[in-house]
Amino acid sequence: LAILLIVLISSNYYLRSIMHPVAEITEKVCDVCLDGHFTLLNSEGEITSIPSEVFHKLNPSGIILLEDSVENIQSKIHRRSGDLWGCDLIELFQKEELLQATLFSSECGIPVLKIDLTENTRQIVKNLSKFLRQLYSIPLHLKEEKNGN
């Protein structure tokens, strides 16, 4: 059984309020995919890291870090919220996300897959498939058997 849980973390209060239900879910299902961030903007518009203990409680098996062009991110943010983030802020935010993901990965000994959303879809799927097979130790021959080969 797998569940996809999408969480948009917008404040520290919200972050604390989701921890208990997420912990309960992870105890009851095999896999949880959490969509969120390692950093947030505080009320002054400064990038701040989410405390690593939050991620320790989630006990992830791996991290998939999505990267995109500044222009694409700027457009998505504007469509979603009407806000217009500057290019410098987006670049810095992406660098900080990568840094925090890498630090947490090293600290916990879990793998990180960086997906560049500007790559072609076939390459993204190939990289993601390989990462998930390695993460869950799925042999390549299972794919072949499923296709009847």
Side-chain angles (χ1 to χ4, degrees):
L1 176 64
I3 186 169
L4 175 62
L5 176 64
I6 299 176
V7 178
L8 299 175
I9 300 172
S10 60
S11 70
N12 284 335
Y13 169 76
Y14 184 68
L15 183 64
R16 286 190 303 272
S17 71
I18 68 162
M19 286 311 302
H20 184 68
V22 169
E24 285 182 7
I25 291 169
T26 58
E27 290 175 7
K28 295 178 183 175
V29 298
C30 296
D31 302 309
V32 174
C33 180
L34 178 65
D35 176 8
H37 290 277
F38 283 89
T39 59
L40 299 170
L41 288 182
N42 65 19
S43 59
E44 287 82 37
E46 301 166 328
I47 299 170
T48 58
S49 301
I50 296 173
S52 65
E53 60 263 14
V54 170
F55 301 105
H56 283 288
K57 289 179 183 177
L58 295 172
N59 194 25
S61 302
I63 299 167
I64 299 171
L65 183 70
L66 303 179
E67 295 181 318
D68 205 347
S69 71
V70 170
E71 295 79 17
N72 287 343
I73 293 171
Q74 194 174 46
S75 175
K76 290 173 188 176
I77 290 170
H78 186 67
R79 278 194 313 257
R80 185 181 64 223
S81 66
D83 294 338
L84 188 58
W85 287 28
C87 294
D88 291 343
L89 177 59
I90 293 171
E91 286 177 6
L92 187 58
F93 200 93
Q94 280 202 101
K95 287 178 184 175
E96 191 62 27
E97 286 280 332
L98 174 59
L99 174 63
Q100 294 305 316
T102 304
L103 288 172
F104 183 75
S105 167
S106 296
E107 183 180 321
C108 295
I110 59 173
V112 175
L113 170 66
K114 287 188 342 185
I115 294 180
D116 182 348
L117 295 176
T118 64
E119 288 184 339
N120 71 51
T121 304
R122 185 177 301 240
Q123 187 62 45
I124 291 171
V125 170
K126 181 180 175 183
N127 293 343
L128 182 59
S129 177
K130 180 180 177 185
F131 179 77
L132 293 174
R133 278 196 312 270
Q134 290 173 342
L135 190 63
Y136 293 106
S137 302
I138 301 171
L140 286 174
H141 71 275
L142 288 181
K143 178 182 172 190
E144 294 166 2
E145 289 173 6
K146 197 172 190 179
N147 292 333
N149 295 339

